[in-house]
Amino acid sequence: MQHSEIIKMGYVIQSFLEKEKLIDAKPKDLVALLIEKGFFKKDHRDGLPLRAILRDLGSRNELFLLPQVRADRKHKKESKIKYRFQENA
């Protein structure tokens, strides 16, 4: 996914978090919205498409493109990192 698309996705996520007054959201909470907005075609295993993008961004050290994302790095394996989204103040 292009950087410009990821940045647009960040605006959609931020708007959703503000509108729904969510303090914290998991990728599976957001994937339906991102499908509706055309970022993904369908969901696999409760948010897998979004988690795959987050893992890719994390491995390239580019999570800054989505300022709402927080990574819980308690595990050394990239596949075990938990991603959460928080409203960007």
Side-chain angles (χ1 to χ4, degrees), residues 14-60:
Q14 180 67 24
S15 175
F16 177 77
L17 293 173
E18 289 172 356
K19 179 181 169 194
E20 299 295 322
K21 296 178 176 43
L22 292 175
I23 297 171
D24 193 49
K26 296 178 182 178
K28 71 178 182 177
D29 301 330
L30 300 170
V31 87
L33 168 74
L34 297 174
I35 290 169
E36 179 183 313
K37 297 292 182 178
F39 290 101
F40 303 114
K41 293 184 189 227
K42 62 182 181 175
D43 187 15
H44 303 280
R45 291 193 261 152
D46 292 328
L48 182 63
L50 182 54
R51 291 193 317 267
I53 287 179
L54 295 172
R55 278 195 300 273
D56 184 46
L57 290 175
S59 68
R60 293 184 304 180

